[in-house]
Structure formats: C-alpha cells, structure tokens
Amino acid sequence: MKIAIDKVKRMQVDLSEEEPASHYPSLAEMETAGECSFTAPVRAQVSAVWEYGHVRASGTVASAVRLSCSRCLAEYELPISSEFTIFYTESKGDELDEEVELSDEELISASYTGDEIDLDHEVAEQVMLEVPYKPLCSETCRGLCPQCGADLNVAECGCDRGEINLKMAALKKIKIEK
Ligand SMILES: [Zn+2]
Ligand SMILES: [Zn+2]
C-alpha cells in the first residue's frame, strides 16, 4: 500500500487493500514461530492528506487470529482491529529517523524518503500490536490442573492444589497485568 507524494500534495488519497498475512514478512514470521495463525486476510483502509509540510495518514486495520490460551492451551479465535494516525515527514537524511511515538499512543510520527510512502510496515506493525502476548481464551479461564492436567474449565478434578496459594497468585497476576 503506497501513497504517492505528488498526488497527496494535490488531493486526499483514499486507499483500501486486502492481503493475506503472509504478504507481510513480520506477520509471516509470527506464524512460522507458532505465535498465532491468521484466519482472515489483513484489511487496511487509509486516508492520507497533505498538511503543514507533512502527510497525515489515518486508517484502520482488521484481521483475525487463532491463538492458543496460555492457561488451558485451548485454541480460540480473536478478531483484531485497530485505528491509527501516522504523521510522515520527509527524511533529511542526515540523522537517524527513528519512529517516534508521540505522547498520545494513537499518534505515530515517521519519516519517508523519495516520492512515495510505503505503508506496509505500519500496517503489519498495527496488526502485531493487537495480538496478545499472553493469550487468554477468557479472563476467567481456570487453566489446567498442575497435578493431573485436567481442564478445570470443563470439570473440577478433585486434586489438592493448595487453592489458596493459587488464588493469591492469580490476584497478583491481575494486578501486574493491569
Ligand atoms: Zn483458557
Ligand atoms: Zn487434577
């Protein structure tokens, strides 16, 4: 997905694209690493305008992934969608043009060189950010019994697991995750 600079200087550019996740190297890598598998193509819509010497590109990305719950190992599917706004300024080429996250996390500042902006990297990045690092099939997933391996969401197995300690651990975890 590309924005031609000479075109966006004259008028608003609206783009929409649908590609398989494998089109994006970083997403293909996630699948190869077994982190998740994409069950829907990546749909991206972007509107770009020229303002005050930079390009403002805002849009949405959407897809869906199949994940394995980090507690009970069950597979589940998660729809993904995200909105973003990126300000592209032309690179002067004499310094490292790192991406800068502005104070508002929805706003991203980036740079471009040449006569077009390639949005693929940002599209893949936005999708990656939405894939949970520690997937949970549900907030209340009880996980597997550490003694016998039974799925505690299905039935209580009757093992003595020192429930009190487990609950304490779960509470601590919730606090950390917040
Ligand atoms: Zn689970
Ligand atoms: Zn058990």
Side-chain angles (χ1 to χ4, degrees), residues 70-84:
S70 58
R71 279 189 205 154
C72 72
L73 309 179
E75 295 217 328
Y76 69 103
E77 205 166 306
L78 181 73
I80 279 177
S81 72
S82 167
E83 289 181 26
F84 59 90

Side-chain angles (χ1 to χ4, degrees), residues 69 71-73 137-138 141 153:
C69 175
R71 279 189 205 154
C72 72
L73 309 179
C137 64
S138 121
C141 174
N153 299 307

Side-chain angles (χ1 to χ4, degrees), residues 144-152 155-161:
L144 301 179
C145 170
Q147 304 285 341
C148 72
D151 185 343
L152 299 174
E156 175 53 55
C157 56
C159 295
D160 176 10
R161 294 186 300 276

